[in-house]
Protein backbone atom coordinates (compact mmCIF):
# COMPACT_ATOMS: atom_id res chain seq x y z
CA UNK A 1 0.00 0.00 0.00
CA UNK A 2 1.28 3.50 -0.76
CA UNK A 3 0.50 6.97 0.48
CA UNK A 4 0.89 9.45 -2.37
CA UNK A 5 2.40 12.82 -1.46
CA UNK A 6 2.10 14.35 -4.91
CA UNK A 7 4.81 15.65 -7.24
CA UNK A 8 6.12 18.22 -4.76
CA UNK A 9 6.14 15.87 -1.78
CA UNK A 10 4.22 16.59 1.46
CA UNK A 11 2.69 20.07 1.59
CA UNK A 12 3.55 20.47 5.25
CA UNK A 13 5.57 18.73 7.96
CA UNK A 14 5.03 19.04 11.69
CA UNK A 15 7.02 17.42 14.47
CA UNK A 16 5.55 15.94 17.64
CA UNK A 17 6.91 14.48 20.85
CA UNK A 18 4.55 11.93 22.33
CA UNK A 19 4.71 10.09 25.66
CA UNK A 20 1.59 8.18 24.55
CA UNK A 21 3.40 6.86 21.48
CA UNK A 22 6.29 5.75 23.67
CA UNK A 23 3.93 3.79 25.90
CA UNK A 24 2.17 2.10 22.98
CA UNK A 25 5.37 1.21 21.14
CA UNK A 26 7.07 0.12 24.37
CA UNK A 27 4.19 -2.25 25.13
CA UNK A 28 4.29 -3.83 21.66
CA UNK A 29 6.36 -6.95 22.31
CA UNK A 30 5.05 -8.98 19.35
CA UNK A 31 7.49 -10.74 17.07
CA UNK A 32 11.07 -9.54 16.73
CA UNK A 33 11.28 -6.75 19.28
CA UNK A 34 13.92 -4.01 18.80
CA UNK A 35 16.50 -3.87 21.59
CA UNK A 36 15.52 -0.43 23.02
CA UNK A 37 11.91 -1.54 23.38
CA UNK A 38 12.85 -4.88 24.89
CA UNK A 39 15.23 -3.29 27.41
CA UNK A 40 12.60 -0.79 28.54
CA UNK A 41 9.94 -3.45 28.99
CA UNK A 42 12.25 -5.73 30.99
CA UNK A 43 13.12 -2.82 33.27
CA UNK A 44 9.52 -1.77 33.99
CA UNK A 45 7.26 -4.80 33.68
CA UNK A 46 7.48 -5.57 37.41
CA UNK A 47 6.12 -2.07 38.10
CA UNK A 48 3.07 -2.27 35.81
CA UNK A 49 0.04 -1.44 38.01
CA UNK A 50 -3.19 -3.43 38.00
CA UNK A 51 -5.03 -0.27 36.87
CA UNK A 52 -3.17 -0.48 33.54
CA UNK A 53 -5.03 -3.65 32.55
CA UNK A 54 -7.60 -2.01 30.19
CA UNK A 55 -4.77 -0.67 28.02
CA UNK A 56 -2.90 -3.98 28.12
CA UNK A 57 -6.08 -5.80 27.09
CA UNK A 58 -6.63 -3.49 24.12
CA UNK A 59 -3.00 -3.87 23.03
CA UNK A 60 -3.43 -7.67 23.11
CA UNK A 61 -6.69 -7.62 21.10
CA UNK A 62 -4.91 -7.75 17.73
CA UNK A 63 -1.14 -7.57 17.05
CA UNK A 64 -1.65 -5.83 13.70
CA UNK A 65 -4.07 -3.04 14.51
CA UNK A 66 -4.56 -0.28 17.05
CA UNK A 67 -7.14 2.49 16.58
CA UNK A 68 -5.67 5.83 15.49
CA UNK A 69 -7.58 7.83 18.12
CA UNK A 70 -5.02 6.53 20.66
CA UNK A 71 -2.21 8.29 18.79
CA UNK A 72 -3.32 11.89 18.31
CA UNK A 73 -0.62 13.93 16.53
CA UNK A 74 0.27 16.69 19.03
CA UNK A 75 2.58 19.21 17.31
CA UNK A 76 5.47 20.29 19.51
CA UNK A 77 4.92 23.74 21.04
CA UNK A 78 7.18 25.93 23.13
CA UNK A 79 5.86 24.46 26.37
CA UNK A 80 6.00 20.90 25.15
CA UNK A 81 3.30 18.26 25.10
CA UNK A 82 2.41 16.24 28.18
CA UNK A 83 0.55 12.97 28.47
CA UNK A 84 -2.30 14.95 30.02
CA UNK A 85 -2.60 16.94 26.76
CA UNK A 86 -2.83 13.73 24.76
CA UNK A 87 -5.32 12.13 27.14
CA UNK A 88 -7.55 15.21 26.88
CA UNK A 89 -7.70 14.72 23.10
CA UNK A 90 -8.35 10.99 23.44
CA UNK A 91 -11.10 11.59 26.02
CA UNK A 92 -12.91 13.94 23.64
CA UNK A 93 -12.96 11.57 20.65
CA UNK A 94 -16.34 11.61 18.93
CA UNK A 95 -18.70 8.66 19.22
CA UNK A 96 -18.69 8.35 15.43
CA UNK A 97 -14.91 8.07 15.28
CA UNK A 98 -14.76 5.72 18.27
CA UNK A 99 -17.22 3.30 16.66
CA UNK A 100 -15.64 3.56 13.22
CA UNK A 101 -12.09 2.79 14.38
CA UNK A 102 -13.05 0.11 16.90
CA UNK A 103 -15.35 -1.46 14.30
CA UNK A 104 -12.31 -2.22 12.15
CA UNK A 105 -11.41 -5.06 14.51
CA UNK A 106 -14.43 -6.92 13.15
CA UNK A 107 -12.91 -6.72 9.66
CA UNK A 108 -9.87 -8.67 10.92
CA UNK A 109 -11.79 -11.51 12.57
CA UNK A 110 -14.13 -12.07 15.52
CA UNK A 111 -14.63 -8.93 17.57
CA UNK A 112 -12.35 -9.20 20.64
CA UNK A 113 -14.09 -9.08 24.03
CA UNK A 114 -12.10 -6.04 25.12
CA UNK A 115 -13.16 -4.10 22.03
CA UNK A 116 -16.81 -5.12 22.37
CA UNK A 117 -16.83 -3.87 25.96
CA UNK A 118 -15.31 -0.55 24.88
CA UNK A 119 -17.92 -0.20 22.14
CA UNK A 120 -20.80 -1.03 24.46
CA UNK A 121 -19.54 1.08 27.35
CA UNK A 122 -18.88 4.19 25.27
CA UNK A 123 -17.53 7.19 27.20
CA UNK A 124 -17.56 5.36 30.53
CA UNK A 125 -15.28 2.61 29.25
CA UNK A 126 -13.16 5.18 27.44
CA UNK A 127 -12.57 6.94 30.78
CA UNK A 128 -11.40 3.61 32.25
CA UNK A 129 -8.98 3.26 29.35
CA UNK A 130 -7.64 6.79 29.81
CA UNK A 131 -7.10 6.20 33.53
CA UNK A 132 -5.22 2.99 32.76
CA UNK A 133 -2.86 4.87 30.42
CA UNK A 134 -2.20 7.49 33.09
CA UNK A 135 -1.48 4.80 35.72
CA UNK A 136 0.98 3.04 33.43
CA UNK A 137 2.75 6.30 32.58
CA UNK A 138 3.14 7.34 36.23
CA UNK A 139 4.54 3.94 37.21
CA UNK A 140 6.79 3.19 34.24
CA UNK A 141 7.71 6.29 32.22
CA UNK A 142 7.16 9.56 34.10
CA UNK A 143 10.47 9.55 36.01
CA UNK A 144 12.49 9.29 32.78
CA UNK A 145 10.34 11.43 30.51
CA UNK A 146 12.07 14.80 31.05
CA UNK A 147 15.46 13.43 29.96
CA UNK A 148 13.88 11.50 27.10
CA UNK A 149 12.11 14.62 25.84
CA UNK A 150 15.41 16.53 25.76
CA UNK A 151 16.91 13.88 23.46
CA UNK A 152 13.85 14.00 21.23
CA UNK A 153 13.94 17.81 21.15
CA UNK A 154 17.56 17.70 20.03
CA UNK A 155 16.69 15.40 17.13
CA UNK A 156 13.86 17.69 16.02
CA UNK A 157 16.16 20.71 16.06
CA UNK A 158 18.62 18.78 13.90
CA UNK A 159 15.91 17.69 11.41
CA UNK A 160 14.53 21.22 11.16
CA UNK A 161 18.03 22.50 10.46
CA UNK A 162 18.43 20.04 7.60
CA UNK A 163 14.97 20.92 6.28
CA UNK A 164 15.78 24.63 6.32
CA UNK A 165 19.17 24.22 4.67
CA UNK A 166 18.54 21.38 2.21
CA UNK A 167 14.76 21.01 1.86
CA UNK A 168 12.02 18.70 3.07
CA UNK A 169 12.89 15.78 0.76
CA UNK A 170 16.47 15.68 1.99
CA UNK A 171 15.31 15.78 5.61
CA UNK A 172 12.80 12.94 5.06
CA UNK A 173 15.36 10.79 3.25
CA UNK A 174 17.52 10.93 6.36
CA UNK A 175 14.72 9.60 8.54
CA UNK A 176 14.06 6.26 6.81
CA UNK A 177 14.71 4.61 3.40
CA UNK A 178 10.95 4.52 2.77
CA UNK A 179 11.12 8.29 2.16
CA UNK A 180 13.73 8.08 -0.61
CA UNK A 181 11.09 8.92 -3.21
CA UNK A 182 9.75 12.31 -2.02
CA UNK A 183 6.41 11.89 -3.78
CA UNK A 184 5.45 8.47 -2.50
CA UNK A 185 5.56 6.51 0.74
CA UNK A 186 5.38 2.72 0.53
CA UNK A 187 4.11 0.81 3.56
CA UNK A 188 3.15 -2.81 4.02
CA UNK A 189 0.45 -3.56 6.61
CA UNK A 190 0.59 -7.25 7.65
CA UNK A 191 -3.19 -7.52 8.05
CA UNK A 192 -6.02 -6.58 5.66
CA UNK A 193 -6.98 -3.30 7.32
CA UNK A 194 -8.96 -1.32 4.72
CA UNK A 195 -7.72 2.24 4.42
CA UNK A 196 -10.54 4.77 3.95
CA UNK A 197 -10.33 7.48 1.37
CA UNK A 198 -8.41 10.50 2.57
CA UNK A 199 -10.42 13.72 3.08
CA UNK A 200 -11.20 15.93 0.09
CA UNK A 201 -9.13 18.81 1.48
CA UNK A 202 -6.00 16.70 0.88
CA UNK A 203 -6.61 16.53 -2.87
CA UNK A 204 -3.83 19.06 -3.49
CA UNK A 205 -1.33 17.51 -1.09
CA UNK A 206 -0.82 15.73 2.20
CA UNK A 207 0.36 17.24 5.47
CA UNK A 208 2.21 14.84 7.75
CA UNK A 209 3.39 14.67 11.35
CA UNK A 210 6.76 13.18 12.32
CA UNK A 211 7.33 11.89 15.86
CA UNK A 212 10.77 10.67 17.02
CA UNK A 213 10.58 7.69 19.37
CA UNK A 214 13.38 6.20 21.46
CA UNK A 215 11.77 2.74 21.49
CA UNK A 216 11.46 2.34 17.70
CA UNK A 217 14.81 0.65 17.19
CA UNK A 218 15.16 1.72 13.56
CA UNK A 219 11.58 0.84 12.61
CA UNK A 220 9.12 3.28 11.09
CA UNK A 221 5.57 3.10 12.48
CA UNK A 222 2.68 4.56 10.55
CA UNK A 223 -0.79 5.77 11.49
CA UNK A 224 -2.90 6.88 8.52
CA UNK A 225 -5.86 4.53 8.45
CA UNK A 226 -8.16 7.20 9.88
CA UNK A 227 -9.60 10.07 7.79
CA UNK A 228 -9.86 12.15 10.98
CA UNK A 229 -6.18 12.97 11.35
CA UNK A 230 -3.06 13.74 9.36
CA UNK A 231 -0.76 10.80 8.59
CA UNK A 232 1.60 10.20 11.51
CA UNK A 233 5.07 8.66 11.10
CA UNK A 234 6.96 7.51 14.19
CA UNK A 235 10.71 7.20 13.56
CA UNK A 236 13.94 6.53 15.42
CA UNK A 237 15.99 9.63 16.30
CA UNK A 238 19.63 9.81 15.35
CA UNK A 239 22.02 8.36 17.95
CA UNK A 240 23.10 10.88 20.56
CA UNK A 241 26.78 11.79 20.10
CA UNK A 242 28.98 11.14 23.13
CA UNK A 243 29.46 14.02 25.56
CA UNK A 244 32.67 15.92 24.69
CA UNK A 245 35.23 17.03 27.19
CA UNK A 246 35.39 20.79 27.78
CA UNK A 247 38.55 20.98 25.68
CA UNK A 248 36.82 19.25 22.75
CA UNK A 249 33.61 21.31 22.82
CA UNK A 250 34.11 23.79 19.99
CA UNK A 251 30.81 25.57 20.67
CA UNK A 252 31.90 26.36 24.24
CA UNK A 253 35.22 27.62 22.91
CA UNK A 254 33.38 29.82 20.42
CA UNK A 255 30.62 31.44 22.51
CA UNK A 256 31.28 30.39 26.09
CA UNK A 257 29.92 27.64 28.33
CA UNK A 258 26.75 29.41 29.54
CA UNK A 259 25.61 30.62 26.12
CA UNK A 260 26.44 27.26 24.51
CA UNK A 261 24.37 25.43 27.12
CA UNK A 262 21.51 27.89 26.63
CA UNK A 263 21.51 27.55 22.84
CA UNK A 264 21.44 23.76 23.16
CA UNK A 265 18.76 23.79 25.85
CA UNK A 266 16.25 25.80 23.81
CA UNK A 267 15.43 22.75 21.70
CA UNK A 268 12.16 23.23 19.79
CA UNK A 269 11.35 26.34 21.85
CA UNK A 270 11.37 27.50 25.47
CA UNK A 271 10.49 30.40 27.74
CA UNK A 272 13.12 32.02 29.95
CA UNK A 273 11.62 30.24 32.98
CA UNK A 274 11.77 26.89 31.21
CA UNK A 275 15.37 27.52 30.20
CA UNK A 276 16.30 28.42 33.76
CA UNK A 277 14.83 25.12 34.95
CA UNK A 278 16.59 23.13 32.25
CA UNK A 279 19.93 24.80 32.98
CA UNK A 280 19.48 24.89 36.77
CA UNK A 281 20.21 28.63 36.85
CA UNK A 282 18.22 31.68 37.90
CA UNK A 283 15.80 33.30 35.40
CA UNK A 284 17.90 36.53 35.30
CA UNK A 285 20.98 34.46 34.36
CA UNK A 286 19.06 32.67 31.62
CA UNK A 287 17.70 36.02 30.41
CA UNK A 288 21.24 37.43 30.10
CA UNK A 289 22.29 34.52 27.90
CA UNK A 290 19.21 34.76 25.67
CA UNK A 291 19.76 38.50 25.21
CA UNK A 292 23.30 37.87 23.98
CA UNK A 293 22.25 35.02 21.70
CA UNK A 294 19.41 37.12 20.26
CA UNK A 295 21.79 40.04 19.57
CA UNK A 296 24.07 37.62 17.71
CA UNK A 297 21.16 36.37 15.56
CA UNK A 298 21.34 32.85 16.95
CA UNK A 299 17.85 32.86 18.47
CA UNK A 300 14.63 34.78 17.96
CA UNK A 301 12.07 35.71 20.61
CA UNK A 302 8.33 35.97 19.92
CA UNK A 303 5.21 36.38 22.01
CA UNK A 304 2.59 33.61 21.90
CA UNK A 305 -0.38 34.77 23.93
CA UNK A 306 0.88 35.38 27.46
CA UNK A 307 4.15 33.54 26.85
CA UNK A 308 7.43 34.75 25.36
CA UNK A 309 9.12 31.93 23.45
CA UNK A 310 12.78 31.67 22.40
CA UNK A 311 13.53 29.58 19.28
CA UNK A 312 16.77 28.80 17.46
CA UNK A 313 17.22 30.64 14.14
CA UNK A 314 18.62 29.03 11.01
CA UNK A 315 22.01 30.60 11.85
CA UNK A 316 21.83 29.10 15.33
CA UNK A 317 20.87 25.73 13.90
CA UNK A 318 23.81 25.83 11.49
CA UNK A 319 26.10 26.60 14.42
CA UNK A 320 24.72 23.70 16.43
CA UNK A 321 25.00 21.31 13.49
CA UNK A 322 28.61 22.36 12.91
CA UNK A 323 29.50 21.95 16.59
CA UNK A 324 27.97 18.63 17.64
CA UNK A 325 28.08 17.61 21.25
Amino acid sequence: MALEFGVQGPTGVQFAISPMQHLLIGLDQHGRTPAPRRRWWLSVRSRVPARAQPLLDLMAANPFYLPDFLTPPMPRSGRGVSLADELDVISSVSTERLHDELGRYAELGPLPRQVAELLDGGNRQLRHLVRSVDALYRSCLADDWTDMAKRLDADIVRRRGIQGAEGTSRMLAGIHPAFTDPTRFEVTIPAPVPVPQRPAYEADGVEITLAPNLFSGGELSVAFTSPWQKPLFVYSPAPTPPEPTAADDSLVALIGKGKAATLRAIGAGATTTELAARLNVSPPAASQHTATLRAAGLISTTRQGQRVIHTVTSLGTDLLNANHR
Side-chain angles (χ1 to χ4, degrees):
M1 175 170 40
L3 177 65
E4 299 285 351
F5 288 149
V7 176
Q8 301 301 320
T11 57
V13 176
Q14 293 180 319
F15 285 90
I17 290 179
S18 169
M20 182 70 187
Q21 277 285 354
H22 278 77
L23 284 177
L24 296 178
I25 289 180
L27 289 174
D28 182 6
Q29 298 294 311
H30 296 104
R32 183 177 172 273
T33 307
R37 189 185 314 173
R38 184 171 61 253
R39 285 195 298 267
W40 175 79
W41 177 242
L42 290 174
S43 70
V44 304
R45 62 181 179 180
S46 63
R47 306 202 305 268
V48 173
R51 290 187 64 186
Q53 198 59 48
L55 176 63
L56 300 180
D57 288 344
L58 186 60
M59 291 288 297
N62 190 294
F64 304 121
Y65 177 68
L66 200 64
D68 284 355
F69 73 81
L70 289 177
T71 57
M74 302 287 289
R76 185 67 167 163
S77 64
R79 67 180 179 85
V81 171
S82 68
L83 181 73
D85 295 324
E86 294 183 294
L87 293 183
D88 284 344
V89 175
I90 293 170
S91 298
S92 62
V93 64
S94 69
T95 301
E96 180 188 5
R97 178 173 182 182
L98 184 71
H99 280 254
D100 179 83
E101 294 188 6
L102 291 176
R104 291 182 180 277
Y105 282 97
E107 299 171 6
L108 302 173
L111 192 66
R113 173 188 56 80
Q114 308 94 317
V115 177
E117 290 176 353
L118 190 53
L119 279 167
D120 292 340
N123 289 337
R124 179 177 57 83
Q125 286 296 108
L126 185 60
R127 287 194 295 270
H128 286 314
L129 179 62
V130 165
R131 285 195 291 268
S132 77
V133 174
D134 184 66
L136 183 68
Y137 172 78
R138 291 177 184 276
S139 298
C140 300
L141 194 64
D143 289 346
D144 299 319
W145 182 248
T146 298
D147 289 337
M148 292 170 67
K150 288 179 181 178
R151 291 180 59 188
L152 299 168
D153 258 333
D155 186 80
I156 289 174
V157 169
R158 177 175 173 272
R159 305 289 180 186
R160 282 177 169 160
I162 295 172
Q163 184 180 18
E166 304 179 47
T168 298
S169 296
R170 177 72 172 178
M171 181 272 291
L172 289 174
I175 282 179
H176 193 272
F179 286 115
T180 302
D181 181 346
T183 67
R184 184 178 175 86
F185 174 80
E186 294 281 358
V187 59
T188 300
I189 292 182
V193 182
V195 177
Q197 184 176 354
R198 299 300 305 173
Y201 62 76
E202 290 184 350
D204 296 326
V206 180
E207 293 186 355
I208 65 173
T209 300
L210 301 173
N213 191 291
L214 296 170
F215 297 157
S216 290
E219 295 181 350
L220 189 71
S221 302
V222 188
F224 65 84
T225 60
S226 170
W228 277 278
Q229 67 184 36
K230 299 172 185 176
L232 171 67
F233 299 90
V234 182
Y235 69 92
S236 296
T240 303
E243 290 290 328
T245 64
D248 294 332
D249 194 331
S250 55
L251 186 60
V252 169
L254 184 64
I255 64 175
K257 183 177 180 180
K259 289 183 283 293
T262 303
L263 187 62
R264 286 167 170 154
I266 288 174
T271 66
T272 299
T273 302
E274 289 167 341
L275 277 176
R278 294 176 190 178
L279 297 168
N280 196 26
V281 300
S282 66
S287 182
Q288 277 190 323
H289 290 317
T290 57
T292 304
L293 293 171
R294 185 168 52 251
L298 300 178
I299 69 171
S300 62
T301 303
T302 57
R303 179 173 292 278
Q304 297 180 8
Q306 299 299 313
R307 306 173 72 249
V308 177
I309 306 296
H310 306 293
T311 54
V312 180
T313 63
S314 57
L315 178 61
T317 299
D318 289 342
L319 189 62
L320 288 170
N321 290 336
N323 295 272
H324 290 298
R325 291 181 54 173

